Amino acid sequence: MFAMDSNHQSNYKLSKTEKKFLRKQIKARHTLLRHEGIETVSYATQSLVVANGGLGNGVSRNQLLPVLEKCGLVDALLMPPNKPYSFARYKTTEESKRAYVTLNGKEVVDDLGQKIILYLNFVEKAQWKELRPQALPPGLMVVEEIISSEEEKMLLESVDWTEDTDNQNSQKSLKHRRVKHFGYEFHYENNNVDKDKPLPGGLPDICDSFLEKWLREGYIKHKPDQMTINQYEPGQGIPAHIDTHSAFEDEIVSLSLGSEIVMDFKHPDGIAVPVMLPRRSLLVITGESRYLWTHGITCRKFDTVQASESHKSGIITSDVGDLTLSKRGLRTSFTFRKVRQTPCNCSYPLVCDSQRKETPPSFPESDKEASRLEQEYVHQVYEEIAGHFSSTRHTPWPHIVEFLKALPSGSIVADIGCGNGKYLGINKELYMVGCDRSQNLVDICRERQFQAFVCDALAVPVRSGSCDACISIAVIHHFATAERRVAALQEIVRLLRPGGKALIYVWAMEQEYNKQKSKYLRGNRNSQGKKEEMNSDTSVQRSLVEQMPDMGSRDSASSVPRINDSQEGGCNSRQVSNSKLPIHVNRTSFYSQDVLVPWHLKGNPDKGKPVEPFGPVGSQDPSPVFHRYYHVFREGELEAVCRTVSDVRILQSYYDQGNWCVILQKA
């Protein structure tokens, strides 16, 4: 191939192909800096960053290493999990220069048979910030080789997938797998069973000897009376969930047959632990791992696993020098549960459906208390996360763009709660001004040459009736009482001239609407939160150069309320003083309207400093977690709030990917 360094452009005239590769290499360089904080250098070093050559876009260690080794001795190949790039360190600078010249623009075929083009750039050091080794979730155990290969074969052959669907045991082909139920049918919509409708026949006799053995050896305390058999083709999975507390007794055990799999466990504060379940192993979930952590299997055809042969089960560590991809095979699981006949009295009352009703979430009892809650869980948080938050805000939402584009040329428009100013430059024919409570976000707006100032949305220092239009995108849900939400709306209306329009967006409690799940619920990425677009999916892309312009973070979210602060140990979360407010986690439906949503801060939190996702290998500082207050709106609630404001009429109300939206007009 050829060297693609812009410093050499003047030495000879580049061909059309060379110019194309040079442009893409420079784009890869800029993308790595913008989204990952990886700074490349223009001079030769021993270390290279290989864009598009990562586990995150289907390139395994066994596939990439031989390609790199053709250019010299590779000292280290670091492949961060779920990232579309890797780091290679050569023995000498001469060898890395040879790789830079030879491999830039080289086409390789990934493990799925798709062609990928590599783009290489020099870096000072090939290092990656690693978190300290994690422990298995409390109460979780993986027992290897719990059965023999002969017993595995016997169990697999006992499952008849050709049976009629009308037979006595409930058999279904779900979107992501085939399923059989015995004893009781497991209902996935609520992770429960109908205790009054047992299936005839009970559990298959073939399971008796195994269950008796596990009882004797102490893996289970109750003999199961419900079994679910799942068959997973490569690429299939099961959404993250917690089996309903009141439905089953403490221990849930699952036998893995046919193939290994990585199962993801996640704590309400966002800590994720990938656990390898080898073939013929037994997963035992009890205690905290049963009642507090979600578990699920991500839909993918390859798992990120340890490359070393000695590592069989347990946690997939963050040792980027020992990670590769493992192709999934056909896996069958036998999951056993004991149906509970009495209410659950576990140690996690705020996440327990048997006990939760006795502990309603707390609400601010005064305007002063509400203001204090907003100061701690909204204002201070956005000041801390402003830089990282802004780096995740790229793509404007179509309906908001449509509203702004439809306004007459020359209109004066205020963006109340403008964040990083994403919407301030959409329509150059408008005179737009933004305001936000966060000084750091306003500073970012100003750096982008937008007009913005700091103020509270309840007291905007703009003359009444001076705006032709206003937008308020994902702001009003941050106010902690109904009165303050009405006051925020009244302030927006005050700014409008007669006939002026306002567009309001708030998060919706209904994340499934008209039988369609929002992108937020459909997403499967373990990352972080959006102030504006809760449901804008930014999954890991196959090509860093072509498809990585919007690799933002997002909130993990579902509604598992938090336990008290003393039970948070080891999760590196900033202390949450109001422990009665639920913590919202992990992409499932809301159960409470007033929640705290975690934001996992990545990189250097100091404003103005570059994000540094890689540092000294073995660094012990995991990302801090902040919590933001939200009131999620029920269907019709936003319209009802609008009707309390005088001199306005609702022109339009609609649902937009997990948000309730209205367009108002001032009389």
Side-chain angles (χ1 to χ4, degrees):
M1 291 296 291
F2 41 80
M4 280 167 276
D5 191 330
S6 56
N7 295 334
H8 302 311
Q9 287 184 72
S10 58
N11 296 343
Y12 65 97
K13 187 175 180 180
L14 296 175
S15 68
K16 187 175 180 180
T17 303
E18 288 174 330
K19 286 179 180 178
K20 177 184 174 183
F21 281 118
L22 179 60
R23 281 197 307 271
K24 292 193 173 184
Q25 186 202 24
I26 292 171
K27 185 174 181 180
R29 188 182 306 162
H30 290 165
T31 304
L32 286 164
L33 179 60
R34 180 182 177 189
H35 297 291
E36 302 293 325
I38 297 170
E39 191 166 358
T40 61
V41 294
S42 58
Y43 50 87
T45 67
Q46 288 175 251
S47 302
L48 293 158
V49 57
V50 185
N52 292 345
L55 301 176
N57 56 315
V59 179
S60 68
R61 178 176 298 272
N62 294 339
Q63 188 178 14
L64 182 61
L65 190 57
V67 174
L68 296 171
E69 285 179 331
K70 289 178 181 178
C71 300
L73 182 60
V74 178
D75 252 0
L77 175 58
L78 308 183
M79 303 189 78
N82 305 315
K83 297 293 184 181
Y85 53 81
S86 57
F87 299 96
R89 185 172 66 241
Y90 281 90
K91 195 74 172 174
T92 67
T93 303
E94 285 303 313
E95 291 170 316
S96 67
K97 285 168 70 175
R98 189 181 308 133
Y100 178 86
V101 171
T102 307
L103 303 180
N104 244 317
K106 181 176 177 60
E107 192 177 85
V108 297
V109 179
D110 69 7
D111 284 353
L112 293 173
Q114 301 186 52
K115 294 177 181 178
I116 286 177
I117 297 176
L118 303 179
Y119 297 98
L120 283 70
N121 282 286
F122 292 110
V123 291
E124 273 292 348
K125 292 181 180 179
Q127 294 181 329
W128 184 259
K129 182 176 181 179
E130 296 181 6
L131 304 183
R132 57 174 167 262
Q134 295 170 309
L136 285 171
L140 188 149
M141 176 171 53
V142 180
V143 186
E144 293 184 34
E145 297 295 337
I146 192 75
I147 61 171
S148 67
S149 56
E150 291 77 16
E151 289 169 326
E152 176 189 40
K153 182 181 178 184
M154 178 180 65
L155 285 170
L156 288 172
E157 289 175 349
S158 73
V159 185
D160 184 2
W161 293 107
T162 64
E163 289 179 21
D164 238 355
T165 53
D166 294 331
N167 72 81
Q168 62 180 10
N169 297 310
S170 179
Q171 175 175 322
K172 294 182 178 179
S173 290
L174 302 181
K175 180 180 179 182
H176 294 300
R177 62 199 184 282
R178 289 201 293 185
V179 171
K180 272 180 176 288
H181 301 292
F182 297 84
Y184 296 83
E185 182 178 357
F186 188 89
H187 297 287
Y188 290 97
E189 63 273 15
N190 58 8
N191 297 312
N192 208 330
V193 296
D194 188 339
K195 298 176 184 178
D196 297 324
K197 293 183 179 178
L199 298 172
L203 271 58
D205 294 339
I206 197 172
C207 298
D208 281 346
S209 60
F210 299 109
L211 296 176
E212 292 293 344
K213 180 183 177 185
W214 299 344
L215 276 166
R216 288 195 306 272
E217 295 177 353
Y219 296 129
I220 53 177
K221 298 175 184 175
H222 311 89
K223 186 170 183 179
D225 54 9
Q226 194 278 333
M227 179 178 76
T228 299
I229 301 177
N230 284 287
Q231 187 185 74
Y232 300 88
E233 299 274 355
Q236 295 180 331
I238 186 169
H241 64 282
I242 295 174
D243 288 16
T244 302
H245 289 207
S246 62
F248 308 109
E249 294 288 353
D250 185 19
E251 70 268 353
I252 294 173
V253 297
S254 187
L255 182 63
S256 292
L257 306 175
S259 180
E260 66 184 19
I261 200 78
V262 172
M263 181 173 282
D264 298 306
F265 288 80
K266 194 168 185 183
H267 188 274
D269 275 336
I271 301 299
V273 179
V275 177
M276 168 62 78
L277 306 180
R279 185 175 177 178
R280 295 188 294 278
S281 69
L282 185 70
L283 169 69
V284 182
I285 309 174
T286 64
E288 183 178 314
S289 63
R290 150 78 172 100
Y291 294 119
L292 191 60
W293 293 63
T294 64
H295 60 278
I297 296 171
T298 303
C299 296
R300 58 190 176 217
K301 293 187 176 180
F302 294 85
D303 281 320
T304 300
V305 301
Q306 308 297 147
S308 54
E309 291 293 326
S310 59
H311 193 100
K312 290 184 179 179
S313 68
I315 296 170
I316 306 299
T317 71
S318 57
D319 180 3
V320 295
D322 186 38
L323 293 180
T324 189
L325 295 179
S326 171
K327 190 172 184 178
R328 286 184 179 177
L330 181 66
R331 174 179 177 265
T332 303
S333 67
F334 284 51
T335 300
F336 299 92
R337 308 173 180 91
K338 171 66 175 175
V339 172
R340 187 188 290 275
Q341 302 299 335
T342 58
C344 178
N345 62 349
C346 67
S347 302
Y348 309 93
L350 290 181
V351 295
C352 179
D353 62 309
S354 292
Q355 305 174 65
R356 187 166 53 206
K357 295 171 186 175
E358 302 165 15
T359 318
S362 64
F363 299 95
E365 295 178 359
S366 67
D367 194 71
K368 185 177 180 181
E369 188 180 330
S371 178
R372 193 162 53 239
L373 185 149
E374 292 161 14
Q375 176 65 26
E376 184 173 357
Y377 294 115
V378 182
H379 306 160
Q380 290 179 10
V381 173
Y382 279 110
E383 281 297 270
E384 292 279 355
I385 70 173
H388 182 211
F389 173 81
S390 177
S391 73
T392 67
R393 293 304 172 278
H394 308 109
T395 309
W397 278 38
H399 288 299
I400 302 170
V401 172
E402 183 183 334
F403 176 83
L404 293 171
K405 295 273 191 184
L407 294 173
S409 178
S411 294
I412 297 172
V413 184
D415 185 346
I416 310 301
C418 63
N420 69 347
K422 184 172 72 174
Y423 292 105
L424 294 179
I426 291 296
N427 185 349
K428 305 296 184 185
E429 302 301 315
L430 306 176
Y431 294 101
M432 290 198 70
V433 63
C435 64
D436 201 279
R437 189 62 175 71
S438 166
Q439 178 68 61
N440 288 338
L441 285 171
V442 168
D443 287 347
I444 291 170
C445 291
R446 290 171 176 170
E447 289 168 7
R448 296 177 174 181
Q449 308 302 310
F450 295 135
Q451 298 294 319
F453 57 89
V454 176
C455 76
D456 194 298
L458 297 179
V460 181
V462 172
R463 189 177 72 248
S464 300
S466 59
C467 295
D468 297 297
C470 294
I471 62 173
S472 172
I473 310 302
V475 175
I476 292 177
H477 55 219
H478 283 310
F479 289 99
T481 64
E483 294 78 13
R484 291 170 71 82
R485 291 188 284 274
V486 170
L489 194 57
Q490 288 172 329
E491 185 68 354
I492 291 169
V493 173
R494 180 187 67 80
L495 301 177
L496 292 174
R497 63 162 175 81
K501 297 177 182 178
L503 174 63
I504 315 290
Y505 267 57
V506 294
W507 281 17
M509 187 170 188
E510 298 83 0
Q511 288 300 304
E512 186 168 348
Y513 188 66
N514 286 340
K515 298 183 180 180
Q516 294 242 339
K517 291 184 178 180
S518 66
K519 288 181 183 177
Y520 179 63
L521 285 188
R522 297 199 304 268
N524 62 4
R525 191 176 173 210
N526 289 332
S527 53
Q528 302 323 20
K530 286 187 180 288
K531 175 181 175 187
E532 294 177 70
E533 308 112 79
M534 178 168 118
N535 306 294
S536 175
D537 189 19
T538 51
S539 57
V540 174
Q541 305 296 325
R542 290 201 54 77
S543 169
L544 181 134
V545 176
E546 302 295 343
Q547 301 177 37
M548 228 183 93
D550 195 24
M551 285 189 66
S553 301
R554 61 178 296 145
D555 290 306
S556 53
S558 88
S559 299
V560 181
R562 76 178 303 102
I563 53 177
N564 63 48
D565 294 329
S566 64
Q567 291 173 289
E568 282 190 74
C571 292
N572 195 45
S573 172
R574 300 295 173 97
Q575 190 173 23
V576 179
S577 59
N578 189 344
S579 62
K580 292 182 182 178
L581 274 174
I583 288 275
H584 195 61
V585 293
N586 197 27
R587 299 189 194 284
T588 65
S589 301
F590 287 95
Y591 296 106
S592 175
Q593 283 190 265
D594 294 88
V595 295
L596 295 176
V597 176
W599 179 280
H600 299 261
L601 186 66
K602 294 183 180 178
N604 193 324
D606 293 338
K607 178 182 172 291
K609 294 185 180 179
V611 176
E612 298 176 1
F614 62 102
V617 173
S619 172
Q620 301 292 303
D621 299 321
S623 302
V625 181
F626 296 89
H627 295 88
R628 298 165 296 153
Y629 168 80
Y630 286 83
H631 171 84
V632 290
F633 281 64
R634 291 184 184 274
E635 182 175 9
E637 183 180 353
L638 181 57
E639 292 94 323
V641 172
C642 293
R643 292 189 189 102
T644 67
V645 179
S646 58
D647 300 325
V648 296
R649 65 189 183 102
I650 300 173
L651 296 180
Q652 186 183 356
S653 62
Y654 59 94
Y655 179 86
D656 188 6
Q657 283 297 335
N659 298 270
W660 290 116
C661 324
V662 295
I663 298 177
L664 304 175
Q665 185 171 42
K666 188 172 182 177

